[in-house]
Amino acid sequence: MTRFPLYEVMELNARFKGASPEAVLTYAAETFGERLTFACSLGLEDVVVFDLLSKLPEPPRIFFLDTGRLHQETYDTLAALRERYGLPVETYFPRHEAVEDFVNGYGPNAFYESLELRKSCCAIRKLEPLARALTGADAWITGLRSDQAATRAGLERFELDNAHGGILKINPLADWSLEQTWAHVRAHQVPYNKLHDQGFPSIGCAPCTRAIAPGEDIRAGRWWWESPEHKECGLHVKIAQETR
């Protein structure tokens, strides 16, 4: 695992300012090879990245975090992507002992009771599996966009991921709008989660996701009982970066 100095990340952002997602992904694949991976959540943005990666001569390893509490439509999306593109997708599950301890100690829906318990549930079902999935990686790709949430404002194409040993985090759609994302899906007939057609712009675990009303923020349906600044599971938390 390679730790990237912040100045190199800043240089990459300057170099690829205004570049297309295809250019970013081509650079990533050519530079990191087998030490590059894509965390596919099967949301709208992620299926776009999946489609773009399928066009590379050698697509990177792709993985999916199955929390055990997902919608059936999410599994249907995974099956459709596998059939359409023929690319393997590795699935990572939470440690069953940790899930059992949490549920036995606090109940199956304890995440509604407090922010601390919700974050604990996310840590068990998402963060620990993510850490395993990133083992040996020098860089990982996400489908994040800067206008998805207040917590993602100012998102860059390249970030230093100090939460996972200082590896590189690559966000090829960082400056795309929701309209651009949908346009790509429609133009290329990319399989997508049908919950998007039912008012779910952002989709996570079934108990923690609801449809939104017209005019609501696109992340309003995620952990809707919490304030906007808390609406992250921890997968994309930022840790202070050193300047050297």
Side-chain angles (χ1 to χ4, degrees):
M1 182 177 292
T2 300
R3 180 180 179 85
F4 286 82
L6 182 57
Y7 75 86
E8 287 190 11
V9 180
M10 296 172 66
E11 289 175 353
L12 282 173
N13 280 315
R15 174 182 169 186
F16 286 92
K17 184 177 178 62
S20 68
E22 290 90 342
V24 172
L25 292 173
T26 297
Y27 161 80
E30 293 177 350
T31 302
F32 300 106
E34 294 181 355
R35 301 183 73 82
L36 175 69
T37 188
F38 169 42
C40 184
S41 71
L42 303 175
L44 189 70
E45 292 77 13
D46 292 77
V47 301
V48 168
V49 175
F50 201 111
D51 178 70
L52 295 173
L53 290 175
S54 75
K55 296 174 171 60
L56 295 177
E58 294 187 25
R61 179 173 67 93
I62 301 171
F63 69 87
F64 162 62
L65 303 180
D66 188 342
T67 66
R69 300 294 300 264
L70 301 176
H71 299 83
Q72 180 59 44
E73 290 86 349
T74 299
Y75 297 111
D76 293 342
T77 306
L78 177 59
L81 289 170
R82 283 179 179 273
E83 181 177 357
R84 166 74 181 276
Y85 298 104
L87 294 177
V89 181
E90 300 174 7
T91 299
Y92 286 80
F93 295 93
R95 301 288 191 190
H96 69 86
E97 300 92 341
V99 174
E100 290 171 0
D101 287 346
F102 181 84
V103 173
N104 289 333
Y106 303 103
N109 296 320
F111 38 80
Y112 292 132
E113 298 176 13
S114 71
L115 179 61
E116 291 71 24
L117 286 173
R118 197 273 290 170
K119 288 186 174 181
S120 293
C121 187
C122 287
I124 292 168
R125 296 180 184 273
K126 295 183 179 181
L127 302 191
E128 191 279 331
L130 176 66
R132 280 187 280 124
L134 293 180
T135 300
D138 283 341
W140 64 297
I141 301 163
T142 83
L144 296 181
R145 294 186 299 103
S146 62
D147 69 354
Q148 285 175 316
T151 53
R152 297 175 184 179
L155 183 73
E156 299 272 12
R157 282 185 173 83
F158 298 90
E159 297 181 294
L160 187 62
D161 186 0
N162 283 316
H164 298 101
I167 65 175
L168 194 65
K169 186 174 179 180
I170 304 170
N171 311 306
L173 304 183
D175 62 352
W176 268 30
S177 66
L178 181 59
E179 290 73 22
Q180 285 176 289
T181 309
W182 270 116
H184 183 97
V185 167
R186 292 174 178 131
H188 299 273
Q189 298 182 318
V190 182
Y192 66 90
N193 194 316
K194 298 310 178 184
L195 288 175
H196 291 310
D197 296 331
Q198 301 174 37
F200 288 75
S202 180
I203 303 167
C205 291
C208 301
T209 308
R210 65 164 174 80
I212 65 171
E216 280 192 294
D217 181 82
I218 63 172
R219 293 276 289 182
R222 298 294 297 277
W223 306 293
W224 63 90
W225 61 93
E226 297 178 0
S227 57
E229 65 270 18
H230 296 148
K231 292 190 177 189
E232 290 287 358
C233 60
L235 291 181
H236 304 295
V237 65
K238 290 187 178 181
I239 296 177
Q241 300 177 345
E242 297 177 355
T243 55
R244 65 176 184 275

